[in-house]
Amino acid sequence: MKVRVQVPATSANFGSGFDCLGAALDLYNLIEMEEADGCRIEICDDAAVPADETNLIYTTARDFYARCGRPFPGLHIRQWNGIPTARGLGSSSACIAGALLGANELLGRPCTLDELVDLAAVAEGHPDNSTPALLGGFVAAAIDGDHVIACRCPVPEGLGFLAVIPDFELKTADARRALPDTVPRADGVYNLARSAVMAMSMAQGRLENLALGAEDRLHQPYRLGLIPGAEAVFGFFREQEVYASFISGAGSTLMALIPAGRAEELSAAARAFLDREGLHGWQVLALGPGQGAAVHVI
Ligand code: HSE
């Protein structure tokens, strides 16, 4: 049997919701998987990802077989990487979520989708990319032991995303190392209030609250220095009066929440701005909400 998995990019944190809020985007990785003797991996584009036994899809699927107590013969994987790697758009979550969904299908679905959500979040260490990657939409999620409690809603009608993607990678581990171990209580309270407002406002379509909901003191102030050019891009977003803006996940992508109807105009303005700033090689993508990961037998 051979399966094909489509799995979306995600934008995590939404500013204040560090490690707990995220949304699926309409930018996808495709993965084909079938059992084979040993490891055979084809990277079907120019993405710089490993094509050997260290490949994240391969290792995740292998571990899933072991967890299910099933012999692992090896896999033939074909992989298309629509999601730029190490840019805060959930590329590794997409590999983990896609591998779990594909392997589960190959094994005759021993796990429910909820169980895959749990496994993906535990593998990642936080649920804010992997959960929307599997479920789609906008998600608020918490890990309780090895279980994820997730609330999901559609992205509000008319809300779009403008991703400004630097020409350099930022590894999540490095971006997490930049964070302090403790924070002042006032900063914790500041973020609690804003992430609650963000979650409720996304659920209720209260777009006027998103700017406040995205304010953050837990991670972005410490990460800005890792993304040269970020301050200028946030300044551009403010000038354009977008709904809200934040570092997407751990970065390096800078995300604006925008009226979907302004996607073309704002993309053109962002490209012109990057040119003026000399930020050549940076990319601008206007995106919409994404579907949760889907698997088909082919
Ligand atoms: N919540 C995680 C972080 C997302 O900010 O480190 C990583 O993509």
Side-chain angles (χ1 to χ4, degrees), residues 12-13 18-19 126 128-129 172 176 223 249-250:
N13 296 332
F18 179 66
D19 277 2
H126 42 84
D128 48 337
N129 288 111
T172 297
R176 289 180 89 82
R223 288 173 162 173

Side-chain angles (χ1 to χ4, degrees), residues 35 39-40 62 90 93 112 116 124 136 142 149-150 196 198 214 247 263 272 286 298:
E35 290 187 354
C39 173
R40 188 172 152 225
R62 186 197 57 206
S93 271
T112 63
L116 298 182
E124 272 270 283
I149 286 83
M198 177 58 90
I247 297 175
I298 54 171

Side-chain angles (χ1 to χ4, degrees), residues 7-263:
V7 58
T10 45
S11 185
N13 296 332
F14 272 58
S16 59
F18 179 66
D19 277 2
C20 62
L21 301 181
L25 306 172
D26 63 349
L27 177 70
Y28 297 93
N29 278 4
L30 281 181
I31 305 165
E32 288 179 4
M33 294 166 69
E34 67 183 319
E35 290 187 354
D37 285 335
C39 173
R40 188 172 152 225
I41 296 172
E42 291 176 63
I43 308 301
C44 303
D45 51 27
D46 57 4
V49 291
D52 58 21
E53 288 182 2
T54 65
N55 178 282
L56 185 55
I57 297 171
Y58 189 82
T59 55
T60 304
R62 186 197 57 206
D63 294 350
F64 182 75
Y65 271 64
R67 190 186 174 278
C68 296
R70 304 282 281 271
F72 180 69
L75 283 178
H76 176 198
I77 294 171
R78 302 181 77 211
Q79 172 177 352
W80 290 262
N81 306 279
I83 308 169
T85 52
R87 299 296 203 287
L89 291 168
S91 62
S92 54
S93 271
C95 290
I96 291 170
L100 289 172
L101 197 62
N104 193 49
E105 194 71 19
L106 290 174
L107 290 179
R109 300 190 200 168
C111 287
T112 63
L113 182 57
D114 284 349
E115 288 168 333
L116 298 182
V117 165
D118 293 347
L119 291 173
V122 169
E124 272 270 283
H126 42 84
D128 48 337
N129 288 111
S130 57
T131 313
L134 282 164
L135 302 182
F138 174 80
V139 170
I143 297 193
D144 183 23
D146 55 6
H147 182 54
V148 172
I149 286 83
C151 294
R152 180 197 170 278
C153 68
V155 168
E157 194 70 29
L159 184 66
F161 299 83
L162 189 72
V164 174
I165 308 173
D167 59 356
F168 52 87
E169 298 192 340
L170 182 51
K171 299 267 187 242
T172 297
D174 295 334
R176 289 180 89 82
R177 259 195 297 279
L179 306 182
D181 289 333
T182 57
V183 293
R185 179 195 302 170
D187 289 356
V189 172
Y190 182 95
N191 269 63
L192 277 175
R194 279 155 182 78
S195 62
V197 167
M198 177 58 90
M200 292 294 286
S201 299
M202 286 294 284
Q204 297 178 353
R206 302 275 301 272
L207 304 179
E208 72 279 13
N209 294 339
L210 300 183
L212 177 122
E215 290 174 351
D216 156 66
R217 289 185 184 162
L218 290 188
H219 66 109
Q220 296 183 115
Y222 307 102
R223 288 173 162 173
L224 271 178
L226 303 175
I227 311 174
E231 300 266 22
V233 173
F234 283 133
F236 164 78
F237 286 152
R238 275 193 299 276
E239 269 167 30
Q240 298 296 324
E241 300 184 346
V242 301
Y243 290 131
S245 57
F246 45 82
I247 297 175
S248 183
S252 55
T253 292
L254 309 165
M255 187 66 80
L257 303 180
I258 61 169
R262 292 185 62 199

